[in-house]
């Protein structure tokens, strides 16, 4: 039996089926194409996406983006799973063109209220004021009306999140970077933002991401090189959590990229 299995897996048919099974249900390679997640994820990071974190997405043939099976559950997933949590880095399909993959951080989930004031992210979690008091430091909380809001709730735990001081509200830059009226995130949807806050094309511009477009979360970086094709060995075979924990973000020179991407 083992000989037959080995011979089958060594054949072209067996190899293709095994590879597609892994890509469909377990992991898929993904290359960071832009700097919207600097300095957490960098241009040239090559990572595996864990595809079963939020359920099993409806399988598609890689590169061709052709669905192998129908969307039986009408939610983009063959097997439904948990939804993204606040602070997760999520790989998802761009809602305006689902053949394109984006990677951003989930900053608000269904039922949360989110706003921007002078670049500061304000979050009122759906759990309410008592939840805010119990889970966030007093110096990060502000009261507006009858609601308690958390100011920049993710910057302490995720030091790669930053703003570009050269991007100012002078009328030439998009107004969405600076201020946004409070938005109630619809149920089963997620508000996404890039860690490179002033150089990220995200939910501030095109809205929240429904669960049907969620693909997975970064697993680990299997290879990384910079624009000069020099290998960044300190990032190879590291999880995103490990990179965040072991990198001194304060001493990294951030090279902002012009424009929204």
């Amino acid at each position: 039996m083992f000989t037959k299995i080995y011979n089958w897996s060594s054949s072209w048919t067996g190899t293709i089926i095994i590879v597609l099974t892994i890509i469909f249900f377990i992991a898929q390679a993904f290359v960071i194409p832009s700097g919207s997640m600097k300095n957490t994820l960098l241009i040239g990071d090559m990572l595996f996406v864990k595809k079963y974190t939020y359920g099993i997405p409806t399988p598609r043939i890689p590169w061709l983006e052709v669905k192998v099976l129908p969307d039986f559950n009408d939610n983009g997933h063959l097997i439904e799973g948990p939804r993204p949590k606040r602070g997760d880095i999520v790989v998802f399909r761009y809602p305006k063109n689902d053949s394109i993959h984006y990677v951003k951080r989930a900053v608000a989930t269904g039922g949360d209220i989110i706003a921007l004031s002078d670049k500061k992210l304000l979050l009122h979690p759906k759990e309410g004021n008592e939840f805010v008091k119990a889970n966030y430091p007093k110096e990060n909380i502000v009261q507006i009306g009858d609601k308690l809001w958390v100011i920049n709730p993710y910057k302490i735990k995720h030091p790669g999140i930053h703003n570009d001081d050269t991007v100012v509200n002078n009328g030439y830059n998009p107004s969405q970077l600076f201020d946004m009226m409070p938005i109630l995130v619809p149920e089963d949807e997620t508000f996404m933002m890039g860690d490179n806050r002033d150089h990220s094309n995200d939910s501030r511009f095109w809205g929240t991401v429904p669960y049907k477009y969620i693909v997975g979360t970064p697993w680990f970086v299997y290879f990384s090189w910079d624009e000069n094709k020099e290998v960044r060995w300190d990032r190879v075979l590291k999880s995103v959590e490990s990179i965040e924990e072991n990198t001194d973000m304060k001493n990294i020179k951030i090279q902002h990229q012009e424009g929204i991407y």
Side-chain angles (χ1 to χ4, degrees), residues 16-27:
I16 292 172
I17 291 175
I18 291 171
V19 170
L20 288 178
T21 299
I22 292 172
I23 291 174
F24 289 159
F25 304 113
I26 301 175

Side-chain angles (χ1 to χ4, degrees), residues 16 18 45 52-53 70 76 91 100 107 109 128 148 150 157 171 206 236:
I16 292 172
I18 291 171
D45 279 350
Y52 54 86
T53 303
V91 177
I100 300 174
V107 298
T109 55
L148 294 180
V150 188
K157 188 175 180 180
W206 37 256
V236 176

Side-chain angles (χ1 to χ4, degrees), residues 119 163-170 173 178 198-199 256 258:
K119 291 190 180 183
N163 289 97
D164 183 352
D165 293 335
T166 66
V167 177
V168 295
N169 195 1
N170 55 9
N173 294 304
F178 307 97
D198 298 326
H199 301 277
H256 297 286
E258 294 182 0

Side-chain angles (χ1 to χ4, degrees), residues 179-199:
D179 298 288
M180 183 180 71
M181 293 295 291
I183 293 175
L184 174 63
V185 180
E187 287 299 329
D188 223 18
E189 299 191 14
T190 308
F191 197 100
M192 306 287 190
M193 291 179 68
D195 285 1
N196 193 1
R197 287 287 166 80
D198 298 326
H199 301 277

Side-chain angles (χ1 to χ4, degrees), residues 32-238:
I32 301 299
S34 75
S36 65
M37 284 298 292
K38 287 181 178 179
N39 269 341
T40 308
L41 295 172
L42 305 178
I43 298 173
D45 279 350
M46 304 177 192
L47 50 86
F48 282 119
V49 177
K50 191 189 298 183
K51 299 191 72 172
Y52 54 86
T53 303
Y54 306 115
I56 303 297
T58 302
R60 298 192 188 193
I61 297 175
W63 306 290
L64 299 178
E65 293 299 328
V66 176
K67 290 183 179 179
V68 178
L69 296 171
D71 188 1
F72 296 110
N73 300 315
D74 197 30
N75 63 8
H77 289 75
L78 191 63
I79 300 175
E80 190 172 348
R83 275 44 174 176
K85 301 186 295 296
R86 301 183 194 106
D88 286 359
I89 296 179
V90 183
V91 177
F92 58 93
R93 296 182 179 277
Y94 178 39
K96 303 296 183 182
N97 182 354
D98 67 3
S99 65
I100 300 174
H101 287 84
Y102 275 16
V103 55
K104 310 286 181 185
R105 191 179 297 277
V107 298
T109 55
D112 293 343
I113 303 176
I114 194 169
L116 280 175
S117 177
D118 192 23
K119 291 190 180 183
K120 294 181 178 66
L121 178 66
L122 301 175
L123 172 70
H124 177 73
K126 63 181 178 183
E127 293 87 349
N129 291 346
E130 294 305 315
F131 177 84
V132 172
K133 292 178 183 178
N135 289 276
Y136 297 95
K138 291 182 180 179
E139 58 270 22
N140 285 49
I141 299 174
V142 61
Q143 183 165 353
I144 303 175
D146 60 346
K147 290 182 173 61
L148 294 180
W149 297 78
V150 188
I151 304 173
N152 291 328
Y154 307 105
K155 277 193 172 183
I156 296 176
K157 188 175 180 180
H158 305 289
I161 298 173
H162 62 277
N163 289 97
D164 183 352
D165 293 335
T166 66
V167 177
V168 295
N169 195 1
N170 55 9
Y172 292 99
N173 294 304
S175 60
Q176 294 92 331
L177 298 176
F178 307 97
D179 298 288
M180 183 180 71
M181 293 295 291
I183 293 175
L184 174 63
V185 180
E187 287 299 329
D188 223 18
E189 299 191 14
T190 308
F191 197 100
M192 306 287 190
M193 291 179 68
D195 285 1
N196 193 1
R197 287 287 166 80
D198 298 326
H199 301 277
S200 173
N201 181 15
D202 51 39
S203 291
R204 292 171 290 181
F205 297 90
W206 37 256
T208 53
V209 180
Y211 173 67
K212 67 182 294 184
Y213 296 114
I214 300 297
V215 175
T217 189
W219 200 346
F220 64 90
V221 176
Y222 65 86
F223 191 73
S224 179
W225 58 12
D226 60 20
E227 63 273 11
N228 299 316
K229 305 303 181 186
E230 294 183 3
V231 180
R232 294 185 285 235
W233 293 108
D234 59 326
R235 303 179 69 83
V236 176
L237 300 181
K238 298 287 183 61

